[in-house]
Amino acid sequence: MDFRYSRYDENNAFSPQSADELFDQLSEYMLQYGDEVLDNLSDWEEQQPDVVDMLIRQGLVEKDREGRYSVTPKGLKRVENRALDELFQVQRKDSFGKHQVDFRGPGEVLQDESKKYEFGDAISNLNLHETMRSAMSRHAREGKLADQQIHIQEDDLVLYDQQYQTNCATVLLVDMSGSMTRMGKYGSAKRVAMALQALINGRYQGDFLQIVGFYTYASPLSSKELFASAPKPVSMYDPRIRLRIPLDNSPAFVPQHFTNIHAGLQFARRILNKQPTQNRQILIVTDGEPTAHVEGRDLMLIYPPSEQTALATLAEAKRCAAEGISISSFALIEDYFYLELVNFVQRMAEVTGGISAYCNAGDLGNLVIESFIKGRKKRMAR
C-alpha cells in the first residue's frame, strides 16, 4: 500500500480515493508487468477488503470460481480510452481528421471545393450556385441576351467534390523479448497499442486491427491478452547462442526471450492477406535487432545478432512489400544508442520503401499514431 503524508488543513475535508482512481493506479502497473499485478488483490482482500469490494462493485475487476482476479471489459475499455486521452491532449485533438482515398462510395461532401460533372457522378451533390454561374458565363460567350431564358447543359454542371473514406487493415507487431522490460519500454508499447485500439473503435470503426506479440515465436493478442501480457523473461545468459529447434518436435524447454521479427512479419502477412481491403500496413515496435528466424520447419535462435537472421527477416519484409503491404518500423532507444538496431530498421525501410524511425518511449505514441494515419492512402475522389 502507498501512503502519502501532508500538513493537516482543517478546511479541506478528507476525500477517500475513488474506485476509478485506484483502478487507474493498478492499471499503470499492469501496463508494465502484466496480470501478475492482480495477484496483489488476494493480499488486499485480507488487509483491505473494502478496497477490493469497491473495485468489484464498480465492475472494473472480477473474481472467478478459482479465486483468480481479472480485469472486466469495462475496466479494459477504461484503460484504452485513458491511453488515448493521454496521447491526444486537448490542444492536439483538432489536428487529426479522418482519412481519405479515391475509391468511390459513401463520402463526406466538401463545401469549399468543386469539380466539373463527369459521367457517373451523383447529381445529388450539385453545386447550384457554381452551376448557374457556369451556365451564365456560357450564355455570355455565346452572345445571348441577359433577359433570355438560361438553359443548363451538361457541361455547365458543377458538383461539390467529395472525400471518401476507406477501410484499412493494420497489424501492430509489438516486441515481447526480454530486453523490453528495461526503462518502461514494454509498458509504453502496450499503452500505444491500446490507444490505437481505442482510436479505431471510436473513429475508424470500419478498420481492422490485430495486435501480434513477437518473441521467440509470434502470436496474436486480443485486447485483454495484450493488457495482461508482459515481456518474456530472459532464461539464457550465454555470451554466444546458436540453436536449431524443430518446430514439429520442439523440446520441453525453448527459451522465449529472443526477438523473432521474421515470424512476426510472416504472421502479419498471412493475417493481412485475408483482409478484403487493398490498404494494408504493418507497424513494428522493437528495441533490438532480430535474434531468431524460421528456416523451413526449424526455428533458429542466434545471439549475438547475425547477418543470417537479418537477411531472412529482410527477405520476408520485402515479400510483404511486394504483396502491397506497407511497413513502418520504430526502434526504441532508451538506455543506450544502439547503432546496429538503427541500421537494421533503416535497411528494412530501404528494401520495402517504408518508414523507419528511432525514438524513446515517450515519443513512441505520436510516431505510431501519425504513421497509422498517414498509412491510410489519401486521394481526392474524381
Side-chain angles (χ1 to χ4, degrees):
M1 301 296 291
D2 181 27
F3 297 94
R4 299 181 183 181
Y5 298 91
S6 61
R7 183 178 298 277
Y8 174 71
D9 184 351
E10 61 182 5
N11 296 321
N12 294 331
F14 172 72
S15 176
Q17 192 175 36
S18 69
D20 287 342
E21 293 172 331
L22 180 62
F23 179 76
D24 290 343
Q25 292 182 356
L26 185 69
S27 64
E28 285 296 317
Y29 287 102
M30 286 193 67
L31 283 171
Q32 183 62 39
Y33 302 108
D35 61 354
E36 67 179 30
V37 174
L38 293 175
D39 294 341
N40 291 317
L41 293 184
S42 298
D43 297 332
W44 290 11
E45 195 173 17
E46 297 179 1
Q47 302 171 8
Q48 302 285 339
D50 55 329
V51 172
V52 178
D53 183 61
M54 180 172 57
L55 291 172
I56 294 176
R57 281 189 288 105
Q58 290 297 320
L60 298 171
V61 299
E62 59 187 0
K63 183 178 181 182
D64 63 18
R65 294 180 179 179
E66 285 74 32
R68 294 189 298 265
Y69 288 97
S70 62
V71 175
T72 65
K74 177 182 177 180
L76 184 62
K77 185 175 182 180
R78 177 176 177 83
V79 177
E80 291 177 344
N81 290 336
R82 188 163 175 259
L84 185 61
D85 289 342
E86 291 175 355
L87 187 59
F88 290 153
Q89 298 298 325
V90 174
Q91 64 270 23
R92 300 189 67 247
K93 286 185 178 179
D94 291 340
S95 64
F96 291 89
K98 296 190 176 181
H99 319 312
Q100 308 131 16
V101 296
D102 59 345
F103 306 131
R104 294 197 176 274
E108 296 178 351
V109 174
L110 295 182
Q111 302 294 338
D112 57 348
E113 297 186 35
S114 299
K115 63 184 286 290
K116 296 292 290 185
Y117 170 81
E118 296 178 11
F119 180 77
D121 287 341
I123 299 298
S124 58
N125 298 323
L126 182 67
N127 184 333
L128 184 58
H129 178 77
E130 292 298 326
T131 297
M132 291 298 298
R133 176 182 293 180
S134 176
M136 292 172 65
S137 297
R138 179 178 53 80
H139 272 234
R141 290 194 304 270
E142 294 174 354
K144 296 181 179 180
L145 298 177
D147 58 352
Q148 288 182 326
Q149 188 175 11
I150 297 177
H151 296 278
I152 296 177
Q153 300 179 0
E154 181 176 320
D155 291 341
D156 300 326
L157 297 177
V158 178
L159 307 180
Y160 288 117
D161 210 343
Q162 288 185 298
Q163 289 182 316
Y164 295 96
Q165 295 182 34
T166 182
N167 292 345
C168 178
T170 302
V171 173
L172 175 60
L173 296 179
V174 179
D175 193 343
M176 297 179 66
S177 63
S179 59
M180 287 290 285
T181 58
R182 296 197 296 266
M183 306 296 291
K185 288 180 286 190
Y186 191 66
S188 296
K190 281 172 65 174
R191 192 188 307 274
V192 171
M194 298 186 78
L196 184 58
Q197 184 68 68
L199 178 65
I200 289 176
N201 289 340
R203 298 199 62 180
Y204 308 120
Q205 297 179 7
D207 278 14
F208 169 86
L209 173 67
Q210 176 64 63
I211 311 294
V212 173
F214 64 91
Y215 41 105
T216 296
Y217 302 102
S219 56
L221 297 171
S222 66
S223 296
K224 188 173 184 178
E225 290 168 338
L226 171 69
F227 188 43
S229 67
K232 304 299 181 180
V234 177
S235 55
M236 297 182 70
Y237 297 92
D238 305 65
R240 186 175 178 83
I241 300 172
R242 296 187 69 90
L243 295 176
R244 180 185 290 269
I245 300 173
L247 292 172
D248 297 325
N249 188 25
S250 299
F253 169 73
V254 177
Q256 301 289 300
H257 63 274
F258 286 75
T259 306
N260 199 339
I261 301 176
H262 180 237
L265 288 169
Q266 285 184 323
F267 202 103
R269 179 170 54 81
R270 290 195 294 269
I271 292 173
L272 291 174
N273 282 340
K274 297 178 182 179
Q275 301 303 313
T277 179
Q278 295 181 357
N279 195 8
R280 299 169 297 163
Q281 60 179 338
I282 297 173
L283 308 178
I284 306 172
V285 176
T286 184
D287 77 330
E289 293 178 87
T291 54
H293 68 280
V294 179
E295 288 187 2
R297 295 300 301 165
D298 289 335
L299 176 65
M300 308 295 295
L301 306 181
I302 304 176
Y303 182 83
S306 70
E307 185 67 7
Q308 178 185 357
T309 298
L311 290 176
T313 305
L314 292 173
E316 178 59 33
K318 190 173 182 179
R319 183 176 181 182
C320 291
E323 296 182 11
I325 301 171
S326 63
I327 298 178
S328 300
S329 306
F330 304 93
L332 279 173
I333 309 296
E334 289 292 343
D335 44 351
Y336 53 86
F337 185 77
Y338 196 7
L339 183 61
E340 292 304 318
L341 170 59
V342 175
N343 289 340
F344 176 76
V345 297
Q346 289 177 344
R347 290 174 67 186
M348 186 178 295
E350 290 172 0
V351 301
T352 63
I355 296 172
S356 68
Y358 60 91
C359 60
N360 58 36
D363 295 331
L364 179 65
N366 290 333
L367 287 174
V368 171
I369 297 297
E370 289 175 9
S371 180
F372 163 74
I373 291 176
K374 291 179 180 178
R376 310 183 88 229
K377 299 177 182 178
K378 300 178 182 179
R379 293 182 188 170
M380 292 299 299
R382 50 182 177 272

